[in-house]
Amino acid sequence: MKAFRIDLDRLREAVAATLPADAEPPDDEGVLARFAAGAWTVLPEPGDGVAGMVRQRLGDVRALQLLVEGESLSGWARELGECEAVSGMQAALARWQPRLGAERILGAFAQGAAHDQRLLTPADAQWPSGIDDLGPHAPAALWLRGDPAALEACSRSVALVGARASSGYGELVTGQLAAGLVSRRFAVVSGGAYGIDGTAHRSALAGGGTTVAVLAGGLDRFYPAGNDELLRHIAATGCVIAEAPSGVPPTRWRFLARNRLIAALASATVVVEAGQRSGSINTAGHAAALGRPLGAVPGPVTSGSSTGCHRLLREYGAALIERPEHIVELVDGPEEESAPLDALTSDEVRVLDALSRRAARNVDDLAMRTGMAPREVTASLALLELAGRSTERASGWVRA
């Protein structure tokens, strides 16, 4: 990174100012990695698949180094190792190079620190793993205001989205759904906008739950301005995130790119109220593409504000949502039939009921939920696994 003419002390200072509060100070290699991750939030537009491909194959640091050194297309081809991987590189380089500058990237870190932002990367413990399902379209890092630990709640969360110009009916249903979800320990994810988004956030906050807002522009200035107080409240109790650095304004295409993050963060997406061309339909499309459960709330057939929801029910196979219980079933699956459970012991049934189909839970968590001793939970998990009813992952156990 010599071409940047930035000494390591300055890099350390820039990176340190945006570390998550409980993060260990990185070594020199870690400083470069975090700086490069931050740089890749500045150079491409959100969702740039070529940038994601390059970062996946070469790593953030090496990809940035080649860009800084002005590597030729043939050089990129040698590094990437496959001819087809170079497709689109010439156009991509032309997009990135106008933004390539040491001071521009350092400015993103400085502005982030000035507005109490943290830079979260996939190396951080709080990184939401659902984001990785976006593959090459996943962001290199996230800018965050609030508590990064709030993102851990996204392992069991629901995106409630819908029209900005919402009706009284839509806001009533949104409030009921959000309140029911937080009472069941679900986090609520939305886009911080007027209408359904804002109602979802406010209802989650009123219920003492965790809510996460995903914005389309930089976090130096909350948008929309009319929701500034709400977004500050979210940052104080949960978190507000964006993949764009400070100074980047929200635009139509960035809103559309933002929607993929909402869908990837949440365990399921529910569209409460939406017109035929609503951006919420875009979010639903991302959820469907990611294989996330999708639901929609029906409305009056005479209301244009519900035509998008009805389209999702007809064409996307969205589940019809009337009550919070329907969303829980969407995430966790229907209750097991009584007959197959007859073969299980009472301890196994208790552990099975405490397992989620998506959020991995460890033995201590399951012991707390079931009121059983950890060794009893472990024994029941082993038997459930033999019966094909539970599966162990690196971070815990899920219902099969």
Side-chain angles (χ1 to χ4, degrees):
M1 306 222 181
K2 295 180 181 178
F4 267 86
R5 302 183 185 278
I6 309 174
D7 61 46
L8 195 54
D9 286 338
R10 194 174 177 197
L11 283 183
R12 285 196 197 96
E13 182 181 355
V15 166
T18 59
L19 283 173
D22 58 350
E24 293 289 331
D27 56 19
D28 290 352
E29 185 176 340
V31 167
L32 289 174
R34 296 190 75 88
F35 176 77
W40 283 109
T41 69
V42 175
L43 297 168
E45 278 294 304
D48 188 321
V50 180
M53 177 275 293
V54 167
R55 292 188 297 99
Q56 283 184 342
R57 289 172 180 262
L58 305 180
D60 292 349
V61 174
R62 181 57 178 161
L64 181 60
Q65 185 178 30
L66 291 175
L67 188 61
V68 168
E69 293 174 350
E71 186 60 76
S72 65
L73 280 175
S74 60
W76 282 99
R78 286 194 301 273
E79 291 278 342
L80 294 170
E82 295 182 21
C83 293
E84 59 269 23
V86 187
S87 175
M89 276 300 300
Q90 187 170 3
L93 293 172
R95 293 195 300 268
W96 306 336
Q97 284 167 344
R99 297 180 176 178
L100 183 61
E103 295 307 318
R104 186 186 188 99
I105 297 170
L106 286 171
F109 280 86
Q111 284 296 305
H115 292 89
D116 298 321
Q117 297 175 40
R118 297 290 176 261
L119 184 72
L120 201 67
T121 77
D124 293 314
Q126 301 89 354
W127 180 261
S129 59
I131 293 290
D132 298 331
D133 292 345
L134 292 169
H137 300 287
L142 294 169
W143 295 95
L144 178 147
R145 284 176 66 172
D147 184 3
L151 288 176
E152 296 176 6
C154 289
S155 63
R156 186 169 176 77
S157 64
V158 175
L160 294 178
V161 296
R164 289 174 173 81
S166 53
S167 69
Y169 163 78
E171 292 175 8
L172 173 65
V173 174
T174 301
Q176 292 174 340
L177 293 178
L181 287 169
V182 298
S183 72
R184 293 165 172 80
R185 298 186 180 181
F186 280 83
V188 173
V189 179
S190 201
Y194 296 133
I196 298 301
D197 288 17
T199 301
H201 290 305
R202 289 188 182 91
S203 299
L205 291 170
T210 299
T211 188
V212 175
V214 187
L215 303 192
L219 302 184
D220 53 324
R221 183 177 298 177
F222 284 148
Y223 181 90
N227 277 355
D228 182 81
E229 183 178 351
L230 169 63
L231 292 167
R232 289 181 185 276
H233 192 182
I234 294 171
T237 58
C239 68
V240 182
I241 64 172
E243 59 185 311
S246 291
V248 173
T251 58
R252 178 173 174 77
W253 68 86
R254 290 181 185 132
F255 277 112
L256 294 175
R258 180 278 309 268
N259 291 343
R260 81 194 197 286
L261 294 185
I262 294 176
L265 271 175
S267 307
T269 293
V270 174
V271 182
V272 181
E273 190 174 46
Q276 192 73 14
R277 297 180 179 275
S278 171
S280 303
I281 306 302
N282 177 257
T283 307
H286 285 298
L290 289 166
R292 299 284 198 273
L294 176 63
V297 175
V301 295
T302 55
S303 172
S305 298
S306 290
T307 55
C309 292
H310 297 160
R311 177 187 169 197
L312 293 176
L313 292 168
R314 288 195 314 271
E315 300 176 13
Y316 284 69
L320 191 149
I321 303 298
E322 296 175 313
R323 301 187 299 276
E325 293 85 351
H326 295 160
I327 303 178
V328 175
E329 184 174 303
L330 190 64
V331 175
D332 291 339
E335 293 293 326
E336 297 288 343
E337 297 292 335
S338 58
L341 295 179
D342 291 343
L344 302 180
T345 67
S346 60
D347 281 357
E348 290 166 27
V349 171
R350 287 164 67 183
V351 173
L352 183 64
D353 285 345
L355 289 172
S356 165
R357 293 185 186 275
R358 176 172 171 79
R361 294 170 181 165
N362 60 31
V363 170
D364 290 339
D365 185 12
L366 292 169
M368 182 273 294
R369 291 173 183 270
T370 60
M372 296 165 57
R375 59 183 178 79
E376 295 171 335
V377 171
T378 301
S380 295
L381 285 170
L383 293 171
L384 288 170
E385 185 177 32
L386 286 172
R389 291 181 173 272
S390 68
T391 303
E392 186 175 15
R393 294 180 179 172
S395 54
W397 293 79
V398 295
R399 184 184 294 206

